[in-house]
Coordinates of all heavy atoms in Angstrom, one line a residue:
M57 N 9.9 -5.6 21.8 CA 9.5 -5.9 23.1 C 10.7 -6.0 24.0 O 10.5 -5.6 25.2 CB 8.8 -7.3 23.0 CG 8.3 -7.9 24.3 SD 6.9 -7.1 24.9 CE 6.4 -8.0 26.3
E58 N 11.7 -6.6 23.6 CA 12.9 -6.7 24.4 C 13.5 -5.4 24.8 O 13.9 -5.2 26.0 CB 14.0 -7.6 23.7 CG 13.6 -9.0 23.5 CD 13.2 -9.7 24.8 OE1 13.9 -9.6 25.8 OE2 12.2 -10.5 24.7
H59 N 13.5 -4.4 23.8 CA 14.0 -3.0 24.2 C 13.0 -2.3 25.2 O 13.5 -1.7 26.1 CB 14.0 -2.2 22.9 CG 14.6 -0.9 23.0 ND1 15.9 -0.7 23.5 CD2 14.1 0.3 22.9 CE1 16.2 0.6 23.5 NE2 15.1 1.2 23.2
A60 N 11.7 -2.6 25.0 CA 10.8 -1.9 26.0 C 11.1 -2.5 27.4 O 11.0 -1.8 28.4 CB 9.4 -2.2 25.6
L61 N 11.3 -3.9 27.5 CA 11.6 -4.5 28.8 C 12.9 -3.9 29.4 O 13.0 -3.7 30.6 CB 11.7 -6.0 28.7 CG 10.4 -6.7 28.3 CD1 10.6 -8.1 28.0 CD2 9.4 -6.6 29.5
E62 N 13.8 -3.6 28.6 CA 15.1 -3.0 29.1 C 14.8 -1.6 29.6 O 15.3 -1.2 30.7 CB 16.2 -2.9 28.0 CG 16.8 -4.2 27.7 CD 17.8 -4.2 26.5 OE1 18.4 -3.1 26.3 OE2 17.9 -5.2 25.8
L63 N 14.1 -0.9 28.9 CA 13.8 0.6 29.2 C 13.0 0.7 30.5 O 13.1 1.7 31.2 CB 13.0 1.3 28.0 CG 13.8 1.5 26.8 CD1 12.9 2.1 25.7 CD2 15.1 2.5 27.1
T64 N 12.2 -0.3 30.8 CA 11.4 -0.3 32.0 C 12.1 -1.0 33.2 O 11.4 -1.3 34.2 CB 10.0 -0.9 31.7 OG1 10.1 -2.2 31.2 CG2 9.2 0.0 30.8
A65 N 13.3 -1.4 33.0 CA 14.2 -2.0 34.0 C 13.6 -3.4 34.5 O 13.7 -3.8 35.6 CB 14.3 -1.1 35.2
V66 N 13.0 -4.0 33.5 CA 12.5 -5.4 33.8 C 13.6 -6.4 33.4 O 13.8 -7.4 34.1 CB 11.3 -5.8 33.0 CG1 10.9 -7.2 33.2 CG2 10.1 -4.9 33.5
V67 N 14.4 -6.1 32.4 CA 15.6 -6.8 32.0 C 16.8 -6.0 31.9 O 16.7 -4.8 31.6 CB 15.3 -7.4 30.6 CG1 16.5 -8.2 30.0 CG2 14.1 -8.3 30.5
D68 N 17.9 -6.6 32.4 CA 19.2 -5.8 32.3 C 19.8 -6.1 30.9 O 20.1 -7.2 30.6 CB 20.1 -6.3 33.4 CG 21.4 -5.6 33.4 OD1 21.6 -4.7 32.6 OD2 22.2 -6.0 34.3
G69 N 19.9 -5.0 30.2 CA 20.4 -5.2 28.8 C 21.8 -5.6 28.7 O 22.3 -6.2 27.8
I70 N 22.7 -5.2 29.7 CA 24.1 -5.4 29.7 C 24.4 -6.9 30.0 O 25.1 -7.6 29.2 CB 24.8 -4.5 30.6 CG1 24.6 -3.1 30.2 CG2 26.3 -4.9 30.7 CD1 25.1 -2.0 31.2
E71 N 23.8 -7.4 31.0 CA 24.0 -8.8 31.4 C 23.0 -9.7 30.9 O 23.0 -11.0 31.1 CB 24.0 -8.9 32.9 CG 25.1 -8.1 33.6 CD 25.1 -8.2 35.2 OE1 24.4 -9.1 35.6 OE2 25.9 -7.4 35.7
N72 N 21.9 -9.2 30.2 CA 20.8 -10.1 29.6 C 20.2 -10.9 30.8 O 19.9 -12.0 30.5 CB 21.4 -10.9 28.5 CG 20.2 -11.4 27.6 OD1 19.1 -10.8 27.6 ND2 20.4 -12.4 26.9
A73 N 20.0 -10.3 31.9 CA 19.4 -10.9 33.0 C 18.0 -10.4 33.3 O 17.8 -9.2 33.2 CB 20.3 -10.8 34.3
T74 N 17.1 -11.2 33.7 CA 15.8 -10.8 34.1 C 15.8 -10.2 35.5 O 16.2 -10.9 36.4 CB 14.8 -11.9 34.0 OG1 14.8 -12.4 32.6 CG2 13.4 -11.5 34.3
L75 N 15.4 -9.0 35.7 CA 15.4 -8.3 37.1 C 14.1 -8.6 37.8 O 14.1 -8.6 39.0 CB 15.7 -6.9 36.9 CG 17.0 -6.5 36.2 CD1 17.2 -5.1 36.0 CD2 18.2 -7.1 37.0
N76 N 13.0 -8.7 37.0 CA 11.7 -8.9 37.6 C 10.9 -9.9 36.8 O 10.3 -9.5 35.8 CB 11.0 -7.5 37.7 CG 9.7 -7.7 38.5 OD1 9.1 -8.7 38.6 ND2 9.2 -6.6 39.1
S77 N 10.8 -11.1 37.2 CA 10.4 -12.2 36.3 C 8.8 -12.1 36.2 O 8.2 -12.3 35.2 CB 10.7 -13.6 36.8 OG 10.3 -13.8 38.1
G78 N 8.1 -11.6 37.3 CA 6.7 -11.4 37.3 C 6.3 -10.3 36.4 O 5.4 -10.5 35.6
A79 N 7.1 -9.2 36.4 CA 6.8 -8.1 35.4 C 7.0 -8.5 34.0 O 6.3 -8.1 33.1 CB 7.7 -6.8 35.8
K80 N 8.1 -9.3 33.8 CA 8.3 -9.8 32.4 C 7.2 -10.6 31.9 O 6.7 -10.4 30.8 CB 9.6 -10.5 32.4 CG 10.1 -10.9 31.0 CD 11.4 -11.5 31.0 CE 11.9 -12.0 29.6 NZ 13.2 -12.6 29.7
A81 N 6.8 -11.6 32.8 CA 5.7 -12.5 32.4 C 4.4 -11.7 32.1 O 3.6 -12.0 31.2 CB 5.4 -13.6 33.4
S82 N 4.1 -10.8 32.9 CA 2.9 -9.9 32.8 C 3.0 -9.1 31.6 O 1.9 -9.0 30.9 CB 2.8 -9.0 34.1 OG 1.6 -8.2 33.9
A83 N 4.1 -8.5 31.3 CA 4.2 -7.7 30.1 C 4.0 -8.5 28.8 O 3.3 -8.2 27.9 CB 5.6 -7.0 30.0
R84 N 4.6 -9.8 28.8 CA 4.5 -10.6 27.6 C 3.0 -11.1 27.5 O 2.5 -11.2 26.4 CB 5.4 -11.8 27.7 CG 6.9 -11.4 27.5 CD 7.7 -12.8 27.4 NE 9.2 -12.4 27.3 CZ 9.8 -12.1 26.2 NH1 9.0 -12.0 25.1 NH2 11.0 -11.8 26.2
S85 N 2.4 -11.4 28.7 CA 1.1 -11.8 28.6 C 0.1 -10.7 28.0 O -0.8 -11.0 27.2 CB 0.6 -12.2 30.0 OG -0.8 -12.6 30.0
R86 N 0.3 -9.6 28.5 CA -0.6 -8.4 28.0 C -0.3 -8.2 26.5 O -1.2 -7.9 25.8 CB -0.2 -7.2 28.8 CG -0.9 -7.2 30.3 CD -0.5 -5.9 30.9 NE -1.1 -5.9 32.3 CZ -1.7 -4.9 32.9 NH1 -1.7 -3.8 32.2 NH2 -2.2 -5.0 34.0
F87 N 1.0 -8.3 26.1 CA 1.3 -8.0 24.7 C 0.6 -9.1 23.8 O 0.0 -8.8 22.8 CB 2.8 -8.1 24.6 CG 3.2 -7.9 23.2 CD1 3.1 -6.7 22.5 CD2 3.8 -8.9 22.4 CE1 3.5 -6.5 21.2 CE2 4.2 -8.8 21.1 CZ 4.0 -7.6 20.4
E88 N 0.6 -10.4 24.2 CA 0.1 -11.4 23.5 C -1.5 -11.3 23.5 O -2.1 -11.5 22.4 CB 0.4 -12.7 24.0 CG 2.0 -13.1 23.7 CD 2.3 -13.1 22.3 OE1 1.5 -13.5 21.4 OE2 3.5 -12.6 22.0
S89 N -2.1 -10.9 24.6 CA -3.6 -10.9 24.6 C -4.0 -9.7 23.8 O -5.1 -9.6 23.2 CB -4.1 -10.8 26.1 OG -3.6 -9.6 26.7
T90 N -3.2 -8.5 23.8 CA -3.6 -7.4 23.0 C -3.4 -7.7 21.5 O -4.3 -7.3 20.7 CB -2.6 -6.3 23.2 OG1 -2.7 -5.9 24.6 CG2 -2.9 -5.0 22.4
K91 N -2.5 -8.6 21.1 CA -2.4 -9.0 19.7 C -3.6 -9.8 19.3 O -4.1 -9.7 18.3 CB -1.1 -9.8 19.5 CG 0.2 -9.1 19.3 CD 1.3 -9.8 18.9 CE 1.5 -11.3 19.1 NZ 2.8 -11.8 18.9
Q92 N -4.0 -10.7 20.2 CA -5.1 -11.6 19.9 C -6.4 -10.7 19.8 O -7.2 -11.0 18.8 CB -5.4 -12.6 21.0 CG -4.3 -13.7 21.1 CD -4.6 -14.7 22.2 OE1 -5.4 -14.5 23.0 NE2 -3.9 -15.8 22.1
R93 N -6.6 -9.7 20.7 CA -7.8 -8.8 20.5 C -7.7 -8.1 19.2 O -8.7 -7.8 18.5 CB -7.9 -7.8 21.7 CG -8.5 -8.5 22.9 CD -8.9 -7.5 24.0 NE -7.7 -6.8 24.4 CZ -6.8 -7.3 25.4 NH1 -7.1 -8.4 26.0 NH2 -5.9 -6.6 25.8
F94 N -6.5 -7.6 18.9 CA -6.4 -6.8 17.6 C -6.7 -7.7 16.4 O -7.5 -7.3 15.5 CB -4.9 -6.3 17.4 CG -4.7 -5.8 16.0 CD1 -5.1 -4.5 15.7 CD2 -3.9 -6.5 15.1 CE1 -4.8 -4.0 14.4 CE2 -3.7 -6.1 13.8 CZ -4.1 -4.8 13.5
F95 N -6.2 -8.9 16.4 CA -6.6 -9.8 15.1 C -7.9 -10.2 15.2 O -8.6 -10.4 14.1 CB -5.5 -10.9 15.1 CG -4.1 -10.4 14.6 CD1 -3.0 -10.4 15.4 CD2 -4.0 -10.0 13.2 CE1 -1.8 -9.9 15.0 CE2 -2.7 -9.5 12.8 CZ -1.6 -9.5 13.7
G96 N -8.5 -10.4 16.4 CA -9.9 -10.7 16.5 C -10.8 -9.6 15.8 O -11.7 -9.9 15.0
Q97 N -10.4 -8.3 16.2 CA -11.2 -7.2 15.6 C -10.9 -7.2 14.0 O -11.8 -6.8 13.3 CB -10.8 -5.9 16.3 CG -11.2 -5.8 17.7 CD -12.7 -5.8 17.9 OE1 -13.4 -5.2 17.0 NE2 -13.2 -6.5 18.9
L98 N -9.8 -7.4 13.7 CA -9.4 -7.4 12.3 C -10.2 -8.4 11.5 O -10.8 -8.2 10.4 CB -7.9 -7.6 12.0 CG -7.4 -7.6 10.6 CD1 -7.5 -6.2 10.0 CD2 -5.9 -8.0 10.6
L99 N -10.3 -9.6 12.0 CA -11.1 -10.6 11.3 C -12.5 -10.2 11.3 O -13.2 -10.5 10.3 CB -10.9 -12.0 12.0 CG -9.5 -12.6 11.9 CD1 -9.3 -13.8 12.7 CD2 -9.3 -13.0 10.4
L100 N -13.0 -9.7 12.3 CA -14.5 -9.3 12.5 C -14.7 -8.2 11.4 O -15.7 -8.3 10.6 CB -14.8 -8.7 13.8 CG -16.2 -8.1 14.0 CD1 -17.2 -9.2 13.8 CD2 -16.3 -7.4 15.3
S101 N -13.8 -7.2 11.2 CA -14.0 -6.2 10.3 C -13.9 -6.7 8.8 O -14.6 -6.2 7.9 CB -12.9 -5.1 10.4 OG -11.7 -5.6 10.0
M102 N -13.2 -7.9 8.6 CA -13.1 -8.5 7.3 C -14.5 -9.2 7.0 O -14.8 -9.4 5.8 CB -12.0 -9.4 7.1 CG -10.6 -8.7 7.2 SD -9.2 -9.8 7.4 CE -9.2 -10.6 5.8
K103 N -15.2 -9.6 7.9 CA -16.5 -10.3 7.8 C -17.6 -9.3 7.6 O -18.7 -9.6 7.0 CB -16.8 -11.1 9.0 CG -15.9 -12.2 9.2 CD -16.2 -12.9 10.5 CE -15.3 -14.0 10.9 NZ -15.6 -14.7 12.1
L104 N -17.5 -8.0 7.9 CA -18.6 -7.1 7.8 C -19.2 -6.8 6.4 O -20.3 -6.7 6.3 CB -18.2 -5.8 8.5 CG -18.2 -5.8 10.1 CD1 -17.8 -4.5 10.6 CD2 -19.6 -6.2 10.6
P105 N -18.3 -6.7 5.4 CA -18.9 -6.5 4.1 C -19.9 -7.6 3.8 O -20.9 -7.3 3.1 CB -17.7 -6.5 3.2 CG -16.6 -6.0 4.1 CD -16.9 -6.6 5.3
T106 N -19.5 -8.8 4.1 CA -20.5 -10.0 3.7 C -21.7 -9.9 4.5 O -22.8 -10.1 4.0 CB -19.7 -11.4 4.0 OG1 -18.5 -11.3 3.2 CG2 -20.6 -12.5 3.6
V107 N -21.6 -9.5 5.8 CA -22.8 -9.4 6.6 C -23.7 -8.2 6.2 O -24.9 -8.4 6.0 CB -22.3 -9.1 8.1 CG1 -23.5 -8.8 8.9 CG2 -21.7 -10.4 8.7
I108 N -23.1 -7.1 5.8 CA -23.9 -6.0 5.3 C -24.6 -6.4 4.0 O -25.7 -6.1 3.8 CB -22.9 -4.8 5.1 CG1 -22.5 -4.3 6.5 CG2 -23.6 -3.6 4.4 CD1 -21.4 -3.2 6.5
A109 N -23.9 -7.0 3.1 CA -24.5 -7.4 1.9 C -25.7 -8.4 2.1 O -26.7 -8.3 1.5 CB -23.5 -8.1 1.0
A110 N -25.5 -9.3 3.1 CA -26.6 -10.2 3.4 C -27.8 -9.5 4.0 O -28.9 -9.8 3.7 CB -26.1 -11.3 4.4
V111 N -27.5 -8.6 4.9 CA -28.6 -7.8 5.4 C -29.4 -7.0 4.5 O -30.6 -7.0 4.4 CB -28.0 -6.7 6.5 CG1 -29.0 -5.7 6.9 CG2 -27.5 -7.5 7.7
K112 N -28.6 -6.3 3.5 CA -29.3 -5.6 2.4 C -30.1 -6.6 1.5 O -31.3 -6.2 1.1 CB -28.2 -4.9 1.5 CG -27.6 -3.7 2.2 CD -26.6 -3.0 1.3 CE -26.0 -1.8 2.0 NZ -25.0 -1.1 1.1
A113 N -29.6 -7.8 1.2 CA -30.4 -8.7 0.4 C -31.6 -9.1 1.1 O -32.7 -9.2 0.5 CB -29.5 -9.9 0.1
H114 N -31.6 -9.4 2.4 CA -32.7 -9.8 3.2 C -33.9 -8.7 3.2 O -35.0 -8.9 3.1 CB -32.4 -10.3 4.6 CG -31.9 -11.7 4.6 ND1 -30.5 -11.9 4.2 CD2 -32.4 -12.8 4.9 CE1 -30.3 -13.2 4.4 NE2 -31.4 -13.8 4.7
L115 N -33.3 -7.5 3.5 CA -34.2 -6.3 3.6 C -34.9 -6.1 2.2 O -36.0 -5.7 2.1 CB -33.5 -5.0 4.0 CG -33.0 -5.1 5.4 CD1 -32.2 -3.8 5.8 CD2 -34.2 -5.2 6.4
A116 N -34.1 -6.2 1.1 CA -34.7 -6.1 -0.2 C -35.7 -7.1 -0.5 O -36.7 -6.9 -1.3 CB -33.6 -6.1 -1.3
G117 N -35.6 -8.3 0.1 CA -36.5 -9.4 -0.1 C -37.7 -9.3 0.8 O -38.5 -10.2 0.9
G118 N -37.8 -8.2 1.6 CA -39.0 -8.0 2.4 C -38.8 -8.7 3.8 O -39.8 -8.8 4.6
Q119 N -37.6 -9.2 4.1 CA -37.5 -9.9 5.4 C -36.9 -9.0 6.5 O -36.3 -7.9 6.2 CB -36.5 -11.1 5.2 CG -37.0 -12.1 4.3 CD -35.9 -13.3 4.0 OE1 -34.7 -12.9 4.0 NE2 -36.4 -14.5 3.8
S120 N -37.2 -9.4 7.7 CA -36.6 -8.6 8.7 C -35.2 -9.1 9.2 O -34.9 -10.4 8.9 CB -37.5 -8.7 10.0 OG -38.8 -8.2 9.8
V121 N -34.4 -8.3 9.6 CA -33.0 -8.6 10.1 C -32.7 -8.3 11.5 O -33.1 -7.1 11.8 CB -32.0 -8.0 9.1 CG1 -30.6 -8.3 9.5 CG2 -32.3 -8.4 7.7
V122 N -32.3 -9.2 12.2 CA -31.8 -8.8 13.6 C -30.4 -9.2 13.7 O -29.9 -10.3 13.4 CB -32.6 -9.7 14.7 CG1 -32.2 -9.4 16.0 CG2 -34.1 -9.4 14.5
L123 N -29.6 -8.2 14.1 CA -28.1 -8.3 14.4 C -27.9 -8.2 15.9 O -28.4 -7.3 16.5 CB -27.3 -7.3 13.6 CG -27.3 -7.4 12.2 CD1 -26.6 -6.2 11.6 CD2 -26.9 -8.7 11.6
Q124 N -27.1 -9.0 16.4 CA -26.7 -8.9 17.8 C -25.2 -8.8 18.0 O -24.5 -9.7 17.5 CB -27.2 -10.2 18.6 CG -27.0 -10.0 20.1 CD -27.5 -11.2 20.9 OE1 -28.0 -12.2 20.3 NE2 -27.4 -11.2 22.2
L125 N -24.8 -7.7 18.5 CA -23.4 -7.5 18.9 C -23.2 -7.6 20.3 O -23.9 -6.8 21.1 CB -23.0 -6.0 18.4 CG -23.2 -5.8 16.9 CD1 -22.8 -4.4 16.6 CD2 -22.4 -6.8 16.1
V126 N -22.4 -8.4 20.8 CA -22.3 -8.8 22.2 C -20.9 -8.6 22.7 O -19.9 -9.2 22.1 CB -22.8 -10.2 22.6 CG1 -22.6 -10.6 24.0 CG2 -24.2 -10.4 22.2
T127 N -20.7 -7.9 23.7 CA -19.4 -7.8 24.5 C -19.8 -7.4 25.9 O -20.6 -6.6 26.2 CB -18.4 -6.9 23.9 OG1 -17.2 -6.8 24.7 CG2 -18.9 -5.5 23.8
T128 N -19.0 -8.1 26.9 CA -19.3 -7.7 28.3 C -18.4 -6.5 28.6 O -18.8 -5.7 29.5 CB -19.0 -8.8 29.2 OG1 -17.5 -9.1 29.1 CG2 -19.8 -10.0 28.9
A129 N -17.3 -6.3 27.9 CA -16.4 -5.2 28.2 C -16.1 -5.1 29.7 O -15.7 -4.0 30.2 CB -16.9 -3.9 27.7
E130 N -16.1 -6.2 30.3 CA -15.9 -6.2 31.8 C -14.5 -5.8 32.2 O -14.3 -5.0 33.1 CB -16.1 -7.6 32.4 CG -16.0 -7.7 33.9 CD -16.3 -9.1 34.4 OE1 -16.6 -10.1 33.6 OE2 -16.2 -9.3 35.6
S131 N -13.5 -6.2 31.5 CA -12.1 -5.8 31.8 C -11.9 -4.4 31.6 O -11.2 -3.7 32.4 CB -11.1 -6.7 31.1 OG -11.2 -6.5 29.7
I132 N -12.5 -3.9 30.5 CA -12.4 -2.5 30.3 C -13.0 -1.7 31.3 O -12.6 -0.6 31.9 CB -12.9 -2.1 28.9 CG1 -12.0 -2.8 27.7 CG2 -12.9 -0.6 28.7 CD1 -12.7 -2.5 26.4
L133 N -14.2 -2.1 31.8 CA -14.9 -1.4 32.8 C -14.1 -1.4 34.1 O -14.1 -0.4 34.7 CB -16.3 -2.1 33.0 CG -17.2 -1.6 34.2 CD1 -17.5 -0.1 33.9 CD2 -18.4 -2.4 34.4
D134 N -13.5 -2.5 34.4 CA -12.7 -2.6 35.7 C -11.6 -1.6 35.6 O -11.3 -0.9 36.6 CB -12.2 -4.0 35.9 CG -13.3 -5.0 36.3 OD1 -14.4 -4.6 36.7 OD2 -13.1 -6.2 36.1
R135 N -10.9 -1.5 34.5 CA -9.8 -0.6 34.3 C -10.3 0.8 34.5 O -9.6 1.7 35.2 CB -9.0 -0.7 33.1 CG -8.1 -2.0 33.0 CD -7.2 -1.9 31.9 NE -7.9 -2.0 30.5 CZ -8.3 -3.1 29.9 NH1 -8.1 -4.2 30.5 NH2 -8.9 -3.1 28.8
R136 N -11.4 1.2 33.8 CA -11.9 2.6 33.8 C -12.3 2.9 35.2 O -12.1 4.1 35.7 CB -13.1 2.7 32.9 CG -12.8 2.5 31.4 CD -11.9 3.6 30.9 NE -11.7 3.4 29.4 CZ -10.9 2.6 28.9 NH1 -10.1 1.9 29.5 NH2 -10.9 2.5 27.5
L137 N -13.0 2.0 35.9 CA -13.4 2.3 37.3 C -12.2 2.4 38.3 O -12.2 3.3 39.2 CB -14.3 1.2 37.9 CG -15.7 1.1 37.3 CD1 -16.4 -0.2 37.8 CD2 -16.5 2.4 37.6
G138 N -11.2 1.7 38.0 CA -9.9 1.9 38.8 C -9.3 3.1 38.7 O -8.5 3.6 39.5
E139 N -9.4 3.9 37.5 CA -8.8 5.2 37.2 C -9.6 6.3 37.8 O -9.0 7.4 37.8 CB -8.7 5.3 35.7 CG -7.8 4.2 35.0 CD -8.0 4.4 33.5 OE1 -8.8 5.1 33.0 OE2 -7.2 3.6 32.8
L140 N -10.7 6.1 38.3 CA -11.6 7.1 38.8 C -11.3 7.5 40.2 O -11.1 6.7 41.1 CB -13.1 6.8 38.6 CG -13.7 6.5 37.2 CD1 -15.0 6.1 37.2 CD2 -13.4 7.8 36.3
S141 N -11.4 8.8 40.5 CA -11.3 9.3 41.8 C -12.8 9.2 42.5 O -13.8 9.0 41.7 CB -11.0 10.8 41.8 OG -12.0 11.6 41.3
P142 N -12.9 9.3 43.8 CA -14.2 9.3 44.4 C -15.2 10.3 43.9 O -16.4 10.1 43.7 CB -14.0 9.5 45.9 CG -12.5 9.0 46.1 CD -11.8 9.4 44.8
D143 N -14.7 11.5 43.5 CA -15.5 12.6 43.0 C -16.1 12.1 41.6 O -17.2 12.3 41.3 CB -14.8 13.9 42.9 CG -14.5 14.5 44.2 OD1 -15.3 14.2 45.1 OD2 -13.5 15.3 44.4
E144 N -15.2 11.6 40.8 CA -15.6 11.2 39.5 C -16.6 10.0 39.5 O -17.5 9.8 38.7 CB -14.4 10.7 38.7 CG -13.4 11.8 38.3 CD -12.1 11.4 37.7 OE1 -11.6 10.3 38.1 OE2 -11.6 12.2 36.8
R145 N -16.5 9.1 40.5 CA -17.4 8.0 40.7 C -18.7 8.5 41.0 O -19.7 7.9 40.7 CB -16.9 7.1 41.8 CG -15.8 6.1 41.4 CD -15.4 5.2 42.5 NE -14.2 4.5 42.1 CZ -14.2 3.2 42.0 NH1 -15.3 2.5 42.2 NH2 -13.1 2.5 41.7
A146 N -18.9 9.6 41.8 CA -20.1 10.2 42.1 C -21.0 10.7 40.9 O -22.1 10.6 40.8 CB -19.9 11.4 43.1
N147 N -20.2 11.2 39.9 CA -20.8 11.6 38.6 C -20.3 10.7 37.6 O -19.4 11.1 36.7 CB -20.4 13.1 38.3 CG -21.2 13.6 37.1 OD1 -22.1 13.1 36.7 ND2 -20.8 14.8 36.7
L148 N -20.7 9.5 37.5 CA -20.2 8.4 36.6 C -20.4 8.7 35.2 O -21.5 8.7 34.7 CB -20.7 7.1 37.1 CG -20.0 5.8 36.7 CD1 -18.6 5.9 37.1 CD2 -20.7 4.6 37.2
E149 N -19.3 8.7 34.5 CA -19.3 8.8 33.0 C -18.2 8.0 32.5 O -17.0 8.5 32.6 CB -19.3 10.3 32.5 CG -19.5 10.4 31.0 CD -19.6 11.8 30.6 OE1 -20.2 12.7 31.3 OE2 -19.1 12.1 29.5
I150 N -18.4 6.9 31.9 CA -17.3 6.0 31.5 C -17.3 5.7 30.0 O -18.3 5.4 29.4 CB -17.4 4.7 32.3 CG1 -17.3 4.9 33.8 CG2 -16.3 3.7 31.9 CD1 -17.5 3.7 34.6
D151 N -16.1 5.8 29.4 CA -16.0 5.4 28.0 C -15.5 4.0 27.9 O -14.4 3.7 28.5 CB -15.0 6.4 27.3 CG -14.7 6.0 25.9 OD1 -15.4 5.1 25.3 OD2 -13.7 6.5 25.4
L152 N -16.2 3.1 27.4 CA -15.8 1.7 27.4 C -15.2 1.2 26.0 O -15.0 0.1 25.7 CB -17.0 0.7 27.6 CG -17.6 0.8 29.1 CD1 -18.7 -0.1 29.2 CD2 -16.5 0.5 30.1
S153 N -14.8 2.2 25.2 CA -14.2 1.9 23.9 C -12.7 1.4 24.2 O -12.1 2.0 25.2 CB -14.2 3.0 23.0 OG -13.4 4.1 23.6
P154 N -12.1 0.6 23.5 CA -10.8 0.1 23.7 C -9.8 1.0 23.1 O -8.9 0.6 22.4 CB -10.8 -1.3 23.0 CG -11.8 -1.2 21.9 CD -12.9 -0.2 22.5
R155 N -9.8 2.2 23.6 CA -9.0 3.3 23.0 C -7.5 3.0 23.2 O -6.7 3.5 22.4 CB -9.4 4.6 23.5 CG -9.1 4.8 25.0 CD -9.5 6.2 25.6 NE -9.2 6.3 27.0 CZ -10.2 6.2 27.8 NH1 -11.4 6.0 27.5 NH2 -9.8 6.3 29.1
E156 N -7.0 2.4 24.2 CA -5.6 2.2 24.5 C -5.1 1.1 23.4 O -3.9 1.0 23.4 CB -5.4 1.8 25.9 CG -6.0 0.4 26.3 CD -7.3 0.5 27.0 OE1 -7.9 1.6 26.9 OE2 -7.7 -0.6 27.5
Y157 N -5.9 0.4 22.7 CA -5.4 -0.6 21.8 C -5.4 -0.1 20.4 O -5.0 -0.8 19.5 CB -6.2 -1.9 22.0 CG -6.2 -2.4 23.3 CD1 -7.4 -2.5 24.0 CD2 -5.0 -2.8 24.0 CE1 -7.5 -3.1 25.3 CE2 -5.1 -3.2 25.2 CZ -6.3 -3.4 25.9 OH -6.3 -3.9 27.2
V158 N -6.1 1.1 20.2 CA -6.3 1.5 18.8 C -5.1 2.5 18.5 O -4.7 3.3 19.1 CB -7.5 2.2 18.7 CG1 -7.7 2.8 17.2 CG2 -8.7 1.2 19.0

């Protein structure tokens, strides 16, 4: 992280001084929130085998199963919309997968 901050001229590597405190705080915040999302997805993926086994057991027992996966993906949508030109907005096709984190 520190090396990346030096390469982007947020921190002066020679004097170890912060050149842009707002950019440094923003970079650290984004890094930490990305880590939280990653580990949240990791924990979710670890739960899936148990969920799938429970679904199979209920279906084998003649019961119905309803699963609900919920995400607003609002921040991803905002970023994707911000990247579009006016022509692209006219023919709207947006990928809301978190591809930049994978």
Side-chain angles (χ1 to χ4, degrees):
M57 178 74 175
E58 296 304 318
H59 186 63
L61 291 172
E62 287 178 31
L63 291 174
T64 56
V66 173
V67 175
D68 182 1
I70 296 171
E71 297 179 12
N72 199 22
T74 301
L75 303 174
N76 186 337
S77 61
K80 185 176 181 180
S82 177
R84 289 189 183 279
S85 175
R86 285 181 180 219
F87 179 69
E88 292 301 323
S89 64
T90 300
K91 279 193 331 190
Q92 287 179 351
R93 280 192 297 276
F94 169 78
F95 285 109
Q97 292 296 321
L98 182 65
L99 291 172
L100 176 65
S101 69
M102 294 171 70
K103 295 175 186 179
L104 284 179
T106 303
V107 171
I108 292 170
V111 166
K112 287 180 178 178
H114 282 81
L115 291 174
Q119 298 175 323
S120 297
V121 176
V122 176
L123 297 176
Q124 181 178 6
L125 303 175
V126 178
T127 179
T128 62
E130 183 178 359
S131 62
I132 295 173
L133 176 62
D134 290 341
R135 282 193 299 276
R136 298 294 188 274
L137 288 174
E139 296 170 354
L140 297 177
S141 69
D143 291 337
E144 291 171 324
R145 284 180 185 243
N147 188 12
L148 198 56
E149 186 175 322
I150 299 176
D151 174 17
L152 294 179
S153 63
R155 65 179 179 261
E156 65 265 11
Y157 305 120
V158 178

